[in-house]
Amino acid sequence: MPESIIMAKLVVQPRIFARNRDKFRRTVEEVKKLGFNSSKQLFLIALQALMQISKSTWERNSDAFSNGVGPMKIFFLLLRTNFPALLSYSLQRRLIPRGSIVQALLSKGLIEKFNVCSVMMYTEKEFLQKIVTCYGDSCLLKLYKEKQGL
């Protein structure tokens, strides 16, 4: 990886490099196992994402992803190549509920295309406004709350 990319990340996100050496080394190995190219900037983004979550959260999410929990297996494949920071989001509280809403909108023909990263990255307020309530379907909000376990 070019030194300029590492230095830029060090200046903007120094906490990535200031962690426990053993955890850092293990996380680097995990990111390599996921198939990220260590000479690309995406590798550092994935490293940052995995450094920010606990080992138990990572194991729980990666088990669910690799076992193909509904549409989440597709999301996992997209995350690996497009936006690995999404791996740090809660599977139960964010990814599955939002994926369920997108799936419902697709099946009702209310949307045809969407950007997975945008949908998952919206704040809660933005997601509710732009995705859930804008269609005037109260069933969507009920489904969303149900999937969140609320």
Side-chain angles (χ1 to χ4, degrees):
M1 172 162 314
E3 187 176 322
S4 61
I5 292 175
I6 294 172
M7 292 305 294
K9 192 58 115 173
L10 180 60
V11 169
V12 176
Q13 296 287 333
R15 289 182 290 168
I16 296 172
F17 303 98
R19 302 284 174 122
N20 174 297
R21 272 194 315 196
D22 290 334
K23 179 178 176 156
F24 185 82
R25 188 179 69 252
R26 286 190 310 270
T27 307
V28 166
E29 292 305 317
E30 189 66 38
V31 172
K32 285 180 181 177
K33 284 182 195 173
L34 288 171
F36 289 99
N37 183 339
S38 62
S39 66
K40 303 289 183 184
Q41 187 169 3
L42 199 54
F43 183 87
L44 285 177
I45 295 169
L47 180 64
Q48 177 183 355
L50 292 183
M51 290 291 288
Q52 292 175 350
I53 60 175
S54 69
K55 183 176 180 170
S56 63
T57 298
W58 167 246
E59 288 172 352
R60 189 172 55 249
N61 285 357
S62 62
D63 285 346
F65 284 129
S66 62
N67 290 330
V69 176
M72 299 317 298
K73 190 162 189 162
I74 295 167
F75 285 139
F76 181 64
L77 295 172
L78 290 169
L79 297 175
R80 285 186 55 207
T81 57
N82 294 327
F83 210 113
L86 294 180
L87 291 171
S88 65
Y89 290 144
S90 168
L91 188 64
Q92 296 301 322
R93 290 187 314 263
R94 189 178 200 134
L95 300 178
I96 289 176
R98 291 183 182 200
S100 298
I101 294 300
V102 168
Q103 195 170 31
L105 291 170
L106 287 167
S107 69
K108 291 181 177 196
L110 296 172
I111 60 172
E112 292 180 15
K113 292 183 178 182
F114 67 97
N115 182 310
V116 173
C117 295
S118 293
V119 169
M120 298 302 170
M121 296 287 297
Y122 285 146
T123 65
E124 185 70 9
K125 183 179 177 181
E126 288 173 326
F127 180 74
L128 290 171
Q129 288 174 342
K130 294 179 179 182
I131 305 294
V132 179
T133 59
C134 72
Y135 295 100
D137 186 342
S138 61
C139 294
L140 291 174
L141 184 58
K142 182 179 178 186
L143 173 65
Y144 185 59
K145 297 296 182 189
E146 182 182 295
K147 291 294 183 179
Q148 285 184 309
L150 300 177

